[in-house]
Amino acid sequence: MGSFEGHLLSGSGLLLYSIYYSSLMSLALLQKQRMPKHLLLPRKMLGCRLFFPVSYEAVVKVVIPAFAILCEYYYPLGVNHLMMIDWKDPRRLFVFKDTWQHVTMFGFFILSGIAGIVSQAKQASWSVKLERTGEALAFYVVALLMIAHIENKSVLEIRVHLLFVLPAFLLALILTVEIWVPDNAPLWVLKSWMGLVLSTWMLQICEMYIPFTGQPWRADNPTDLAFVTIFFCWHLVLGVTLLIAIYGLCSLWHHHYSSWTKTLGARYQRCLMESSSEELEKLNAEAVAQDGGV
């Protein structure tokens, strides 16, 4: 959906996912984990028992893009963009180019979610590689289609979408490296940062549809074009700020949880008794004497 609602849905979903992954990454760094651990769905849901572990992340990758595809075809209510070729026209023209580009992007994210579900079910040595390959492929497709998406657009739209391609392509490169080096902490941080930048920039595009100043952006104004690039640089800083804030909150939770578990452990420590201790020998002697006297 090349509209305010479409960019808002995509940007909000991507932002929530980026915050979720940044939280997992922060906890993995604090707990010195080899890799971030997925949060798994309960094994019993809606009266049905799951046959294998499934993460929230994989389900979100399938459900949200599937909903977005339905919106692409049938939103606003009453429209139908499911047709790809106008068969009534003798020239057999392709129609709804933007819709099919968006559907293709969402479709690859669904494939990424399916790859995640399969990798979590198998738990084999190649599982992580399959999951990272699916994610990298999805972002390569985003970058490729966004480059094609700017054809016959205004200068402003071209600038905005090229700046969107940059973090998407960097994310794809990072995920490609993670196929072979999944346990590299700096890559986790870079991936979280680029994900936050990509999502906040998508929300910035929403602002261009409904400007907070009340005045529309002008594609023929060099000043407006310059400020688009300036705002993108600010989004780079905003991504770092959000990442630091998420890490700080996770650090507070981790220290609070660690101190709580230590307090519990100290409160319920078992009394360790060694067989060689003098007190244990004295108690045993007294018990034997009492048994002999009965």
Side-chain angles (χ1 to χ4, degrees), residues 252-263:
L252 290 174
W253 181 88
H254 174 69
H255 290 306
H256 177 74
Y257 178 77
S258 299
S259 61
W260 181 70
T261 51
K262 286 179 181 177
T263 304

Side-chain angles (χ1 to χ4, degrees), residues 82-111:
L82 190 60
M83 181 175 60
M84 180 184 291
I85 300 174
D86 186 1
W87 296 103
K88 297 179 180 179
D89 193 316
R91 295 173 294 175
R92 302 291 188 267
L93 298 176
F94 286 104
V95 293
F96 306 128
K97 171 183 69 73
D98 290 351
T99 295
W100 285 100
Q101 285 179 341
H102 295 155
V103 167
T104 302
M105 287 187 288
F106 292 137
F108 273 89
F109 278 106
I110 292 176
L111 289 177

Side-chain angles (χ1 to χ4, degrees), residues 99-168:
T99 295
W100 285 100
Q101 285 179 341
H102 295 155
V103 167
T104 302
M105 287 187 288
F106 292 137
F108 273 89
F109 278 106
I110 292 176
L111 289 177
S112 172
I114 294 173
I117 292 173
V118 172
S119 67
Q120 291 155 24
K122 294 297 182 181
Q123 294 293 325
S125 58
W126 47 264
S127 298
V128 176
K129 293 184 178 181
L130 175 64
E131 189 171 353
R132 295 295 176 269
T133 302
E135 290 177 340
L137 180 60
F139 282 104
Y140 277 125
V141 169
V142 168
L144 178 64
L145 290 178
M146 279 295 103
I147 292 174
H149 193 67
I150 62 179
E151 295 175 354
N152 301 320
K153 301 287 186 180
S154 67
V155 179
L156 179 66
E157 290 178 298
I158 291 174
R159 178 75 58 88
V160 168
H161 285 85
L162 285 179
L163 292 173
F164 181 83
V165 167
L166 178 60

Side-chain angles (χ1 to χ4, degrees), residues 13 36 53 72 76 86 120 123 132 134 161 170 183 186 207 209 220 256 265 276 293-294:
E72 284 287 343
D86 186 1
Q120 291 155 24
Q123 294 293 325
R132 295 295 176 269
H161 285 85
L170 289 176
D183 54 351
E207 188 275 334
Y209 283 94
D220 57 347
H256 177 74
S276 59
V294 174

